[in-house]
Amino acid sequence: MANGKSEQLKSLKQFKLSSSRLILLGFAVPIVIGAILLALPLSSSSGESIGWINALFTSTSAVCVTGLAVVDTGADFSIFGQIIIMCLIQVGGLGFMTFGVLIAVVLGKKIGLKNRLLLQESTNALSTQGVVRLSLGIFLIALIIEFIGAALLIVRWEAELGLGQAIYYGMFHSVSSFNNAGFGLWSDSLSRYVGDPLVNLVITLLFIIGGLGFTVVLDVWKHRRWNKLSLHSRIVLSTSAFLCLAGFIVIFIIELFNSRTFGPLTWGERIWAGYFQGVVTRTAGFNTIDISAMMTTSQFFMIFLMFIGASSGSTGGGIKTNTFAVLLFTLISIIKGKEDVQLLNRRIPQSIILRSIAVMVISVSVVIGATFLLTISEHSLQKDFMEVLFEVTSAFGTVGLSMGLTPELSPFGKGVIILTMYIGRLGPLTLAFALSQRVVKQKYRLPEEKVLIG
């Protein structure tokens, strides 16, 4: 009896010490609370509940900063419901541990080693050193950038909406943009501002900065010189710039031949539309042209960009730009017959390469599995395979771009997308951390034998 009790206490202790489980729970709790609040008639503009499955979907999309919606955020939710969504976006984007540290500091409580380890995982920091300062820096940076973004949008929208509504719309879209959520208060997202330079630049700069990761932003702010930046920061900045430029060029050129998207636009609006849709795939979720009307080639290229997503330690999802860079240079090294993987004059450790491969394999498996389930459950909708794959990749990459499938999903289909958004926000990050910490030392090594590959 005593032994059984001892084993239970040991198991409970191990559960409590599992930072991965705590992070999973830390995101699940606000999702549940948000779903309860959004299901209230008070949250609906009609005064009637939107239903539990729709409330859960919206809450998950907000906390996982995705932006996919089964109901119209601006039309179907009351001001109360929209404010709940904005708060959920902020909590999901910055992370529950960031708010926990802020509260602890305000109350004068000490941050112990266990909480520092949890902070390290939740912020994706390289070590526990300075994680408390990093968390406070994250909160401060977010508030400053969101305030600046909101102020610029308020100036732009004041004449059009009036000061009161401009302040509200500016705050909502600034928070949604910086946290890479993609929730908007207009039914057409930002299509009415397809050629507006200020709206295009403010929104894109917000989600690009948010997608770089807080460690990169702090590193740039501290050193401000390329050769003094960490390898991680240089990889993120280089890869992000390359993907943004590639997205702009490819989509702009392809959509020039599409009369349904670029046809009615002036040349100036075409350039802004190509730029916006080229960089928005960095997990933001806004759109200035109809995604479903785009060329199939553009949609497929956007799937590729959405799968890569933002960067580690950011408000975005996907396999991350740094993972993509490591995998790309690993492939180049293999082709060239090099023993080591070299990136920006540095050698990448074998453990990082293996973790990148693991994240890639898990991510592909999740996307394939979710797509497979939706092709079965949503067969009656008679949707093209591209639409299903696009929606699943958007959910996994926490992007929020849609070809129109999400509002038509069955309850089972909504459940699949909910789970995909949750895994997309937490899976690769949690897996990478778990693999980096749980190193099992083997007492012996088995004999080696070669296996044919390729």
Side-chain angles (χ1 to χ4, degrees):
M1 189 74 177
N3 289 336
K5 187 176 181 180
S6 177
E7 288 296 326
Q8 289 179 351
L9 290 174
K10 185 178 180 181
S11 299
L12 183 61
K13 185 177 180 181
Q14 287 176 345
F15 175 82
K16 288 182 177 180
L17 290 176
S18 173
S19 56
S20 297
R21 289 180 179 178
L22 285 173
I23 288 180
L24 292 174
L25 185 64
F27 277 92
V29 168
I31 287 175
V32 173
I33 294 174
I36 294 172
L37 293 174
L38 292 176
L40 297 174
L42 180 63
S43 297
S44 173
S45 60
S46 65
E48 298 179 0
S49 175
I50 63 171
W52 285 105
I53 185 65
N54 289 338
L56 179 62
F57 190 102
T58 305
S59 181
T60 305
S61 184
V63 174
C64 295
V65 291
T66 304
L68 287 174
V70 288
V71 294
D72 192 315
T73 306
D76 295 327
F77 284 104
S78 63
I79 298 296
F80 175 79
Q82 293 168 4
I83 291 175
I84 293 299
I85 291 173
M86 183 168 60
C87 292
L88 292 174
I89 290 171
Q90 193 73 284
V91 172
L94 302 187
F96 72 100
M97 280 303 300
T98 301
F99 289 91
V101 168
L102 181 68
I103 294 171
V105 171
V106 171
L107 296 177
K109 294 185 176 293
K110 188 177 181 180
I111 310 295
L113 179 60
K114 176 184 174 181
N115 290 325
R116 289 175 185 271
L117 289 170
L118 186 57
L119 274 171
Q120 180 189 354
E121 180 170 353
S122 63
T123 58
N124 216 25
L126 296 175
S127 68
T128 58
Q129 186 178 3
V131 289
V132 175
R133 187 168 60 253
L134 173 62
S135 298
L136 295 176
I138 287 173
F139 192 82
L140 183 62
I141 285 174
L143 289 184
I144 292 174
I145 294 177
E146 287 173 357
F147 176 79
I148 294 173
L152 292 172
L153 292 175
I154 290 168
V155 172
R156 169 61 184 84
W157 289 334
E158 181 183 4
E160 179 181 338
L161 304 175
L163 181 59
Q165 193 173 11
I167 291 174
Y168 177 64
Y169 271 55
M171 289 175 56
F172 188 96
H173 286 87
S174 181
V175 171
S176 182
S177 299
F178 179 74
N179 290 285
N180 280 240
F183 279 93
L185 296 178
W186 285 288
S187 300
D188 62 352
S189 189
L190 295 174
S191 296
R192 63 189 64 195
Y193 300 107
V194 61
D196 192 299
L198 182 61
V199 174
N200 276 270
L201 284 175
V202 171
I203 296 294
T204 54
L205 286 176
L206 282 171
F207 64 66
I208 287 174
I209 293 173
L212 290 176
F214 297 105
T215 53
V216 175
V217 175
L218 286 171
D219 194 19
V220 171
W221 176 259
K222 181 179 179 180
H223 295 106
R224 303 177 188 177
R225 291 183 62 182
W226 179 259
N227 57 357
K228 289 188 176 182
L229 297 177
S230 67
L231 177 62
H232 170 76
S233 296
R234 285 183 286 160
I235 290 175
V236 167
L237 292 171
S238 300
T239 310
S240 298
F242 170 77
L243 292 174
C244 285
L245 182 61
F248 166 53
I249 293 174
V250 171
I251 290 177
F252 177 75
I253 292 175
I254 294 174
E255 291 304 310
L256 278 178
F257 301 94
N258 188 353
S259 60
R260 297 173 62 195
T261 55
F262 277 19
L265 305 180
T266 64
W267 273 100
E269 290 174 335
R270 291 175 182 178
I271 293 174
W272 283 115
Y275 161 72
F276 193 93
Q277 294 308 146
V279 301
V280 80
T281 50
R282 312 306 313 288
T283 81
F286 293 106
N287 63 279
T288 55
I289 57 176
D290 186 358
I291 303 297
S292 62
M294 296 179 72
M295 302 280 278
T296 303
T297 310
S298 297
Q299 295 167 347
F300 186 75
F301 187 69
M302 290 173 74
I303 288 175
F304 168 72
L305 294 176
M306 290 191 299
F307 184 74
I308 296 173
S311 305
S312 295
S314 71
T315 57
I319 65 170
K320 306 296 189 293
T321 55
N322 32 307
T323 303
F324 170 73
V326 170
L327 290 171
L328 178 62
F329 278 85
T330 298
L331 177 62
I332 292 174
S333 297
I334 292 173
I335 293 174
K336 291 184 175 181
K338 293 183 178 180
E339 185 176 351
D340 296 325
V341 176
Q342 298 177 355
L343 185 54
L344 298 177
N345 297 320
R346 291 292 186 273
R347 179 172 57 86
I348 305 299
Q350 190 72 17
S351 59
I352 300 296
I353 297 171
L354 293 176
R355 260 180 278 157
S356 299
I357 295 172
V359 168
M360 180 69 171
V361 172
I362 292 293
S363 300
V364 170
S365 301
V366 170
V367 171
I368 291 176
T371 303
F372 178 77
L373 291 175
L374 285 186
T375 54
I376 297 174
S377 66
E378 313 308 309
H379 178 70
S380 60
L381 296 177
Q382 297 182 340
K383 295 292 184 179
D384 293 336
F385 176 76
M386 180 66 74
E387 292 182 64
V388 179
L389 180 61
F390 190 98
E391 219 78 5
V392 169
T393 309
S394 179
F396 173 77
T398 68
V399 180
L401 293 174
S402 176
M403 292 178 64
L405 174 62
T406 297
E408 302 178 24
L409 291 173
S410 65
F412 179 82
K414 291 175 182 177
V416 171
I417 294 296
I418 287 172
L419 185 59
T420 304
M421 289 189 292
Y422 189 66
I423 293 174
R425 182 70 176 99
L426 300 172
L429 181 148
T430 305
L431 174 66
F433 183 84
L435 290 173
S436 66
Q437 297 298 314
R438 298 170 188 172
V439 180
V440 180
K441 293 184 178 180
Q442 296 177 322
K443 295 181 180 180
Y444 59 89
R445 300 181 71 183
L446 295 173
E448 183 181 277
E449 185 171 347
K450 295 183 178 179
V451 178
L452 294 176
I453 299 295

Short mmCIF file of all heavy atoms in Angstrom, two decimals, residues 49-89:
data_model
loop_
_atom_site.label_atom_id
_atom_site.label_comp_id
_atom_site.label_asym_id
_atom_site.label_seq_id
_atom_site.Cartn_x
_atom_site.Cartn_y
_atom_site.Cartn_z
N SER A 49 -26.80 32.77 -28.71
CA SER A 49 -25.50 32.10 -28.68
C SER A 49 -25.12 31.60 -30.07
O SER A 49 -25.96 31.12 -30.84
CB SER A 49 -25.53 30.93 -27.70
OG SER A 49 -24.32 30.19 -27.77
N ILE A 50 -23.84 31.70 -30.40
CA ILE A 50 -23.36 31.22 -31.70
C ILE A 50 -23.18 29.71 -31.70
O ILE A 50 -22.87 29.12 -32.74
CB ILE A 50 -22.03 31.90 -32.09
CG1 ILE A 50 -20.92 31.54 -31.09
CG2 ILE A 50 -22.19 33.40 -32.21
CD1 ILE A 50 -19.55 31.99 -31.51
N GLY A 51 -23.35 29.07 -30.53
CA GLY A 51 -23.19 27.62 -30.43
C GLY A 51 -21.82 27.25 -29.87
O GLY A 51 -20.84 27.97 -30.08
N TRP A 52 -21.77 26.13 -29.18
CA TRP A 52 -20.53 25.73 -28.49
C TRP A 52 -19.40 25.40 -29.45
O TRP A 52 -18.26 25.77 -29.22
CB TRP A 52 -20.80 24.54 -27.58
CG TRP A 52 -21.53 24.92 -26.33
CD1 TRP A 52 -22.84 24.70 -26.02
CD2 TRP A 52 -20.99 25.65 -25.23
NE1 TRP A 52 -23.15 25.24 -24.80
CE2 TRP A 52 -22.03 25.82 -24.28
CE3 TRP A 52 -19.72 26.17 -24.93
CZ2 TRP A 52 -21.85 26.50 -23.06
CZ3 TRP A 52 -19.54 26.83 -23.73
CH2 TRP A 52 -20.59 26.99 -22.81
N ILE A 53 -19.71 24.72 -30.54
CA ILE A 53 -18.64 24.33 -31.46
C ILE A 53 -18.05 25.55 -32.16
O ILE A 53 -16.83 25.65 -32.33
CB ILE A 53 -19.15 23.30 -32.52
CG1 ILE A 53 -18.00 22.80 -33.40
CG2 ILE A 53 -20.27 23.88 -33.35
CD1 ILE A 53 -16.94 22.02 -32.66
N ASN A 54 -18.91 26.51 -32.52
CA ASN A 54 -18.41 27.74 -33.15
C ASN A 54 -17.63 28.59 -32.15
O ASN A 54 -16.63 29.23 -32.51
CB ASN A 54 -19.58 28.55 -33.71
CG ASN A 54 -20.20 27.91 -34.94
OD1 ASN A 54 -19.56 27.10 -35.61
ND2 ASN A 54 -21.44 28.25 -35.23
N ALA A 55 -18.08 28.61 -30.89
CA ALA A 55 -17.38 29.35 -29.85
C ALA A 55 -16.01 28.73 -29.58
O ALA A 55 -15.00 29.45 -29.44
CB ALA A 55 -18.20 29.38 -28.57
N LEU A 56 -15.97 27.39 -29.53
CA LEU A 56 -14.70 26.70 -29.30
C LEU A 56 -13.75 26.92 -30.48
O LEU A 56 -12.55 27.15 -30.29
CB LEU A 56 -14.94 25.21 -29.10
CG LEU A 56 -13.70 24.34 -28.88
CD1 LEU A 56 -12.94 24.77 -27.62
CD2 LEU A 56 -14.07 22.86 -28.79
N PHE A 57 -14.29 26.88 -31.69
CA PHE A 57 -13.46 27.11 -32.88
C PHE A 57 -12.86 28.51 -32.85
O PHE A 57 -11.66 28.69 -33.07
CB PHE A 57 -14.31 26.92 -34.14
CG PHE A 57 -13.52 26.91 -35.42
CD1 PHE A 57 -13.24 25.71 -36.05
CD2 PHE A 57 -13.02 28.08 -35.99
CE1 PHE A 57 -12.49 25.67 -37.24
CE2 PHE A 57 -12.29 28.06 -37.15
CZ PHE A 57 -12.02 26.86 -37.78
N THR A 58 -13.70 29.51 -32.58
CA THR A 58 -13.23 30.90 -32.57
C THR A 58 -12.21 31.13 -31.47
O THR A 58 -11.20 31.81 -31.67
CB THR A 58 -14.42 31.86 -32.39
OG1 THR A 58 -15.40 31.61 -33.40
CG2 THR A 58 -13.96 33.31 -32.47
N SER A 59 -12.47 30.57 -30.29
CA SER A 59 -11.54 30.72 -29.16
C SER A 59 -10.19 30.08 -29.47
O SER A 59 -9.14 30.67 -29.20
CB SER A 59 -12.14 30.10 -27.90
OG SER A 59 -11.28 30.26 -26.80
N THR A 60 -10.22 28.89 -30.05
CA THR A 60 -8.98 28.20 -30.42
C THR A 60 -8.23 29.00 -31.48
O THR A 60 -7.00 29.15 -31.41
CB THR A 60 -9.27 26.79 -30.96
OG1 THR A 60 -10.03 26.05 -30.01
CG2 THR A 60 -7.98 26.04 -31.25
N SER A 61 -8.96 29.50 -32.46
CA SER A 61 -8.33 30.28 -33.52
C SER A 61 -7.69 31.55 -32.97
O SER A 61 -6.62 31.96 -33.44
CB SER A 61 -9.38 30.65 -34.58
OG SER A 61 -8.79 31.33 -35.67
N ALA A 62 -8.32 32.16 -31.96
CA ALA A 62 -7.78 33.38 -31.36
C ALA A 62 -6.56 33.09 -30.49
O ALA A 62 -5.52 33.74 -30.63
CB ALA A 62 -8.86 34.08 -30.54
N VAL A 63 -6.66 32.11 -29.61
CA VAL A 63 -5.54 31.78 -28.72
C VAL A 63 -4.35 31.24 -29.51
O VAL A 63 -3.20 31.52 -29.18
CB VAL A 63 -5.98 30.76 -27.64
CG1 VAL A 63 -4.79 30.29 -26.81
CG2 VAL A 63 -7.03 31.37 -26.72
N CYS A 64 -4.63 30.46 -30.54
CA CYS A 64 -3.56 29.93 -31.39
C CYS A 64 -3.16 30.92 -32.48
O CYS A 64 -2.42 30.56 -33.41
CB CYS A 64 -4.01 28.61 -32.03
SG CYS A 64 -4.29 27.28 -30.85
N VAL A 65 -3.66 32.16 -32.37
CA VAL A 65 -3.38 33.27 -33.29
C VAL A 65 -3.42 32.82 -34.75
O VAL A 65 -2.49 33.06 -35.52
CB VAL A 65 -2.05 33.97 -32.95
CG1 VAL A 65 -2.17 34.72 -31.65
CG2 VAL A 65 -0.87 33.00 -32.86
N THR A 66 -4.52 32.17 -35.11
CA THR A 66 -4.67 31.66 -36.47
C THR A 66 -5.45 32.63 -37.34
O THR A 66 -4.95 33.13 -38.34
CB THR A 66 -5.37 30.29 -36.45
OG1 THR A 66 -4.63 29.40 -35.62
CG2 THR A 66 -5.45 29.71 -37.86
N GLY A 67 -6.71 32.89 -36.97
CA GLY A 67 -7.51 33.82 -37.76
C GLY A 67 -8.59 33.17 -38.60
O GLY A 67 -9.42 33.86 -39.18
N LEU A 68 -8.60 31.83 -38.68
CA LEU A 68 -9.68 31.16 -39.38
C LEU A 68 -10.98 31.39 -38.61
O LEU A 68 -10.99 31.36 -37.38
CB LEU A 68 -9.41 29.66 -39.50
CG LEU A 68 -8.33 29.24 -40.51
CD1 LEU A 68 -8.07 27.75 -40.42
CD2 LEU A 68 -8.74 29.63 -41.93
N ALA A 69 -12.07 31.62 -39.32
CA ALA A 69 -13.33 31.94 -38.66
C ALA A 69 -14.50 31.20 -39.30
O ALA A 69 -14.56 31.07 -40.52
CB ALA A 69 -13.58 33.45 -38.71
N VAL A 70 -15.40 30.73 -38.44
CA VAL A 70 -16.61 30.07 -38.93
C VAL A 70 -17.79 31.03 -38.91
O VAL A 70 -18.84 30.75 -39.47
CB VAL A 70 -16.94 28.83 -38.08
CG1 VAL A 70 -15.95 27.72 -38.37
CG2 VAL A 70 -16.94 29.16 -36.59
N VAL A 71 -17.62 32.16 -38.22
CA VAL A 71 -18.62 33.24 -38.23
C VAL A 71 -17.90 34.56 -38.47
O VAL A 71 -16.69 34.66 -38.25
CB VAL A 71 -19.41 33.30 -36.90
CG1 VAL A 71 -20.26 32.05 -36.72
CG2 VAL A 71 -18.49 33.48 -35.72
N ASP A 72 -18.61 35.56 -38.90
CA ASP A 72 -18.04 36.87 -39.21
C ASP A 72 -17.73 37.61 -37.91
O ASP A 72 -18.63 37.91 -37.13
CB ASP A 72 -19.02 37.68 -40.06
CG ASP A 72 -18.38 38.92 -40.66
OD1 ASP A 72 -17.66 39.63 -39.93
OD2 ASP A 72 -18.59 39.18 -41.86
N THR A 73 -16.45 37.90 -37.68
CA THR A 73 -16.04 38.53 -36.43
C THR A 73 -16.69 39.89 -36.23
O THR A 73 -17.16 40.23 -35.14
CB THR A 73 -14.51 38.70 -36.40
OG1 THR A 73 -13.88 37.44 -36.64
CG2 THR A 73 -14.05 39.24 -35.05
N GLY A 74 -16.73 40.71 -37.28
CA GLY A 74 -17.28 42.05 -37.16
C GLY A 74 -18.79 42.09 -37.12
O GLY A 74 -19.38 42.94 -36.43
N ALA A 75 -19.46 41.17 -37.82
CA ALA A 75 -20.92 41.20 -37.93
C ALA A 75 -21.63 40.33 -36.89
O ALA A 75 -22.69 40.71 -36.39
CB ALA A 75 -21.34 40.76 -39.34
N ASP A 76 -21.06 39.18 -36.57
CA ASP A 76 -21.75 38.22 -35.71
C ASP A 76 -21.41 38.34 -34.23
O ASP A 76 -22.09 37.74 -33.40
CB ASP A 76 -21.45 36.79 -36.18
CG ASP A 76 -22.02 36.52 -37.57
OD1 ASP A 76 -23.07 37.09 -37.89
OD2 ASP A 76 -21.40 35.75 -38.34
N PHE A 77 -20.33 39.06 -33.90
CA PHE A 77 -19.97 39.24 -32.49
C PHE A 77 -20.27 40.66 -32.04
O PHE A 77 -20.11 41.61 -32.80
CB PHE A 77 -18.48 38.94 -32.27
CG PHE A 77 -18.15 37.48 -32.26
CD1 PHE A 77 -17.54 36.89 -33.36
CD2 PHE A 77 -18.45 36.70 -31.16
CE1 PHE A 77 -17.23 35.54 -33.36
CE2 PHE A 77 -18.15 35.34 -31.16
CZ PHE A 77 -17.54 34.76 -32.25
N SER A 78 -20.71 40.78 -30.80
CA SER A 78 -20.92 42.10 -30.20
C SER A 78 -19.57 42.71 -29.84
O SER A 78 -18.52 42.06 -29.99
CB SER A 78 -21.78 41.96 -28.95
OG SER A 78 -21.10 41.17 -27.97
N ILE A 79 -19.60 43.95 -29.35
CA ILE A 79 -18.35 44.59 -28.90
C ILE A 79 -17.71 43.77 -27.80
O ILE A 79 -16.48 43.58 -27.78
CB ILE A 79 -18.64 46.02 -28.39
CG1 ILE A 79 -19.21 46.89 -29.51
CG2 ILE A 79 -17.35 46.65 -27.85
CD1 ILE A 79 -18.28 47.12 -30.67
N PHE A 80 -18.54 43.24 -26.90
CA PHE A 80 -18.03 42.39 -25.81
C PHE A 80 -17.31 41.16 -26.37
O PHE A 80 -16.21 40.82 -25.95
CB PHE A 80 -19.18 41.96 -24.90
CG PHE A 80 -18.77 40.99 -23.82
CD1 PHE A 80 -18.14 41.42 -22.67
CD2 PHE A 80 -19.02 39.62 -23.97
CE1 PHE A 80 -17.75 40.53 -21.68
CE2 PHE A 80 -18.64 38.71 -22.99
CZ PHE A 80 -18.01 39.17 -21.84
N GLY A 81 -17.94 40.49 -27.34
CA GLY A 81 -17.33 39.31 -27.95
C GLY A 81 -16.04 39.63 -28.68
O GLY A 81 -15.06 38.87 -28.61
N GLN A 82 -16.01 40.77 -29.36
CA GLN A 82 -14.81 41.18 -30.09
C GLN A 82 -13.67 41.50 -29.14
O GLN A 82 -12.50 41.17 -29.41
CB GLN A 82 -15.12 42.39 -30.97
CG GLN A 82 -16.08 42.09 -32.11
CD GLN A 82 -16.61 43.34 -32.78
OE1 GLN A 82 -16.20 44.46 -32.45
NE2 GLN A 82 -17.54 43.18 -33.72
N ILE A 83 -13.98 42.12 -28.00
CA ILE A 83 -12.95 42.43 -27.00
C ILE A 83 -12.40 41.14 -26.39
O ILE A 83 -11.19 41.01 -26.14
CB ILE A 83 -13.51 43.35 -25.90
CG1 ILE A 83 -13.80 44.74 -26.49
CG2 ILE A 83 -12.54 43.47 -24.73
CD1 ILE A 83 -14.46 45.70 -25.53
N ILE A 84 -13.28 40.15 -26.16
CA ILE A 84 -12.83 38.84 -25.67
C ILE A 84 -11.86 38.22 -26.67
O ILE A 84 -10.81 37.69 -26.30
CB ILE A 84 -14.03 37.90 -25.44
CG1 ILE A 84 -14.90 38.40 -24.28
CG2 ILE A 84 -13.55 36.47 -25.15
CD1 ILE A 84 -14.19 38.47 -22.95
N ILE A 85 -12.20 38.29 -27.95
CA ILE A 85 -11.32 37.74 -29.00
C ILE A 85 -9.98 38.46 -29.00
O ILE A 85 -8.92 37.82 -29.09
CB ILE A 85 -12.00 37.87 -30.38
CG1 ILE A 85 -13.20 36.92 -30.47
CG2 ILE A 85 -11.01 37.56 -31.50
CD1 ILE A 85 -14.02 37.08 -31.73
N MET A 86 -9.99 39.79 -28.86
CA MET A 86 -8.75 40.56 -28.84
C MET A 86 -7.89 40.17 -27.64
O MET A 86 -6.66 40.03 -27.77
CB MET A 86 -9.06 42.06 -28.81
CG MET A 86 -7.83 42.96 -28.86
SD MET A 86 -8.21 44.71 -29.18
CE MET A 86 -9.28 45.09 -27.78
N CYS A 87 -8.50 39.96 -26.49
CA CYS A 87 -7.75 39.54 -25.30
C CYS A 87 -7.16 38.15 -25.48
O CYS A 87 -6.03 37.88 -25.07
CB CYS A 87 -8.65 39.58 -24.07
SG CYS A 87 -9.17 41.24 -23.57
N LEU A 88 -7.94 37.25 -26.07
CA LEU A 88 -7.45 35.89 -26.33
C LEU A 88 -6.27 35.90 -27.30
O LEU A 88 -5.32 35.14 -27.14
CB LEU A 88 -8.58 35.02 -26.89
CG LEU A 88 -9.75 34.70 -25.94
CD1 LEU A 88 -10.85 33.96 -26.69
CD2 LEU A 88 -9.27 33.87 -24.75
N ILE A 89 -6.33 36.77 -28.30
CA ILE A 89 -5.22 36.92 -29.26
C ILE A 89 -3.96 37.37 -28.53
O ILE A 89 -2.87 36.83 -28.76
CB ILE A 89 -5.59 37.92 -30.37
CG1 ILE A 89 -6.67 37.35 -31.28
CG2 ILE A 89 -4.36 38.29 -31.19
CD1 ILE A 89 -7.25 38.35 -32.26
#
